[in-house]
Amino acid sequence: MSDASDPGSTPTLAEVQARVADVEGWLTDAQIQALHEAARACPPGGRIVEIGSFRGRSTVVLASSAPVDVEIVAIDPHAGNDRGPQEIEGFEAEAATDHEVFNRNLADAGVAERVRHVRAFSDVAHGDVTDPIDVLFIDGAHRFGPARADIRDWGARVAPGGRMLIHDSFSSIGVTLAILVELLVSPEWRYDGRAGSLTSYRRTHQSPGARGTSALRQLAQLPWFARNVAIKVLMVTGRHDWARKLGHDGETWPY
């Protein structure tokens, strides 16, 4: 166990999970572990950038898990849009509350001073972040255009050997299409796997054969994607019993 009195100690996975147990958000335990491991592996003096923070669940995980000299940048406009499943537009009234709760959750977790919050949409926030990025976590707008821009434009700023993690992959239609367009046969992004809908990519030069292998591994996720889409349709239409027949609990949004 880490020593809470030692500012240089890194919390264990169990301690990080405890910190975010009551923080609202859409990360499973397996996804928390994936972010925890990626942040811990960030090189000394490196930089982690998060696109889409909501109320700070993933932000707390990243800031708690990274080495003490790593910069943590959280980009989220807290404008009421793209808040989560089925909350794409029209939630402006919740924006101020999201921002307030985000700051409170970071303070309660003891990581507020570690995080630099850029309150802006990701497409206009490039000037607020210095290159290179060592770990990029994308959980912003889920529509195809913005998701593609985040993957393409922010991904281009990740250092060679760096990592990009994308939430709602092979779950959200827009995010999945963006991945297929930008990453399926990319010569510089290797697919390393997923924890639920959280995919992990490594920026590395790929030979044609390696590109083919990476593409096949991603295409193998499409049946899971089709299942998730079917479950969402069933839930929207109130057929929760049918969703259960597909192996889902029938109540929570699949992610």
Side-chain angles (χ1 to χ4, degrees):
M1 299 292 286
S2 66
D3 182 357
S5 65
D6 178 7
S9 64
T10 301
T12 65
L13 173 61
E15 290 169 332
V16 172
Q17 289 173 330
R19 287 186 183 185
V20 298
D22 297 323
V23 178
E24 187 178 355
W26 296 275
L27 287 179
T28 65
D29 284 345
Q31 292 167 356
I32 290 172
Q33 180 176 354
L35 289 184
H36 170 72
E37 293 174 352
R40 285 192 65 181
C42 187
R47 180 174 294 107
I48 296 174
V49 173
E50 169 187 75
I51 298 175
S53 304
F54 187 44
R55 295 190 167 182
R57 186 170 170 88
S58 56
T59 320
V60 171
V61 174
L62 293 169
S64 298
S65 307
V68 294
D69 59 349
V70 168
E71 180 185 16
I72 313 292
V73 183
I75 301 172
D76 194 308
H78 286 152
N81 293 333
D82 293 299
R83 298 177 71 244
Q86 297 180 288
E87 297 186 359
I88 303 302
E89 295 181 353
F91 292 85
E92 289 81 0
E94 287 80 3
T97 300
D98 289 342
H99 185 62
E100 177 184 345
V101 174
F102 168 78
N103 286 320
R104 184 168 66 243
N105 285 335
L106 265 59
D108 289 347
V111 299
E113 294 185 358
R114 290 219 59 191
V115 177
R116 180 164 65 89
H117 180 207
V118 177
R119 192 172 181 180
F121 289 98
S122 60
D123 60 338
V124 298
H126 284 277
D128 294 294
V129 180
T130 304
D131 285 340
I133 298 168
D134 298 286
V135 177
L136 174 64
F137 173 52
I138 298 177
D139 191 17
H142 289 42
R143 289 161 287 127
F144 170 71
R148 182 184 184 186
D150 284 342
I151 293 170
R152 180 190 64 222
D153 300 339
W154 283 96
R157 303 183 59 181
V158 174
R163 297 184 65 179
M164 176 166 63
L165 299 101
I166 307 171
H167 200 238
D168 293 294
S169 304
F170 305 111
S171 182
S172 164
I173 294 175
V175 175
T176 302
L177 290 177
I179 286 174
L180 294 178
V181 170
E182 291 295 327
L183 301 176
L184 182 63
V185 292
S186 171
E188 59 179 349
W189 284 107
R190 183 187 71 208
Y191 174 71
D192 282 345
R194 64 177 175 87
S197 68
L198 178 65
T199 50
S200 178
Y201 293 83
R202 177 80 65 176
R203 188 166 190 183
T204 182
H205 175 72
Q206 295 200 103
S207 66
R211 289 169 65 183
T213 299
S214 181
L216 288 174
R217 293 187 65 207
Q218 292 173 85
L219 290 173
Q221 312 311 313
L222 292 183
W224 190 77
F225 167 61
R227 170 185 175 273
N228 271 2
V229 172
I231 288 170
K232 291 176 181 180
V233 171
L234 292 172
M235 292 178 68
V236 168
T237 57
R239 299 180 181 274
H240 300 276
D241 53 337
W242 288 21
R244 293 187 183 92
K245 292 179 180 179
L246 291 178
H248 191 64
D249 62 17
E251 301 298 334
T252 60
W253 203 251
Y255 58 92

